[in-house]
């Protein structure tokens, strides 16, 4: 396999990647949010005038619905200016390589945990919180087929 493409900076693509990673890490917060919501509802059932019950309920809603957007916004603010210049993506049978004008990263496929496919991209997961985004829209149909077959082979 030899796939090579230029990937311009796309803020929405970066947000989708950060949201993808945050959603994978936030399951415990969502479970805790449901527990806190139930606790708040129980407190309010016993005493509808309890300000603590409303506070607990609000805390549960924050855990359920606000943590991921806050995490994504924070991640966007923490990104280096280097990535805003776009990068060149090169995929071979042995390596995935990203080359920015001022930085470069290479990943051996041997270190891959798994590949997750979404409608917009493949996420090559090297660990639980590190993903290499491989955007589908910048690849030719032949390249998409070739990479899909390669990803299926890696998953076995």
């Amino acid at each position: 396999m030899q796939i090579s493409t230029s990937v311009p900076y796309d803020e929405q693509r970066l947000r989708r990647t950060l949201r993808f990673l945050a959603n994978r890490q936030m399951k415990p917060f969502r479970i805790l949010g449901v527990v806190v919501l139930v606790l708040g509802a129980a407190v309010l059932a016993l005493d509808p005038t309890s300000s603590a019950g409303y506070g607990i309920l609000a805390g549960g809603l924050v855990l359920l619905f606000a943590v991921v957007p806050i995490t994504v916004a924070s991640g966007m603010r923490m990104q280096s200016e280097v990535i805003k210049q776009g990068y060149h993506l090169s995929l071979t049978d042995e390596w995935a390589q990203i080359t920015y004008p001022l930085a470069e990263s290479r990943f051996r496929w041997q270190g891959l945990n798994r590949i997750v496919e979404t409608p917009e991209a493949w996420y090559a997961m090297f660990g639980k919180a590190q993903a290499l985004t491989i955007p589908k829209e910048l690849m030719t149909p032949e390249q998409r087929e070739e990479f899909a077959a390669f990803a299926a082979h890696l998953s076995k």
Side-chain angles (χ1 to χ4, degrees), residues 21 32 43 62 77 85 93 95 105-106 115 133-134 141 148 155:
L21 291 170
L32 181 61
V43 169
V62 166
R77 284 191 303 274
Q85 298 173 21
D93 291 334
W95 293 95
S105 294
R106 287 181 5 151
I115 294 180
T133 304
I134 303 168
S155 299

Side-chain angles (χ1 to χ4, degrees), residues 17 51-53 78 100 106-107 127 130 132 138 141 147:
T17 299
S51 59
M78 293 177 7
Y100 292 97
R106 287 181 5 151
F107 301 91
Q130 185 171 8
L132 168 61
L138 300 175
F147 186 77

Side-chain angles (χ1 to χ4, degrees), residues 25-46:
Q25 301 298 316
M26 295 298 153
K27 187 175 181 177
F29 287 98
R30 289 198 173 103
I31 292 169
L32 181 61
V34 169
V35 170
V36 171
L37 272 176
V38 169
L39 178 64
V43 169
L44 288 176
L46 294 173

Side-chain angles (χ1 to χ4, degrees), residues 96-140:
Q97 182 172 339
I98 304 169
T99 306
Y100 292 97
L102 299 174
E104 181 176 88
S105 294
R106 287 181 5 151
F107 301 91
R108 261 189 208 270
W109 292 115
Q110 290 174 321
L112 181 75
N113 288 55
R114 68 183 168 286
I115 294 180
V116 178
E117 185 177 2
T118 67
E120 299 88 24
W122 286 280
Y123 295 104
M125 300 296 298
F126 294 91
K128 291 185 178 185
Q130 185 171 8
L132 168 61
T133 304
I134 303 168
K136 292 180 177 179
E137 77 270 6
L138 300 175
M139 300 170 97
T140 66

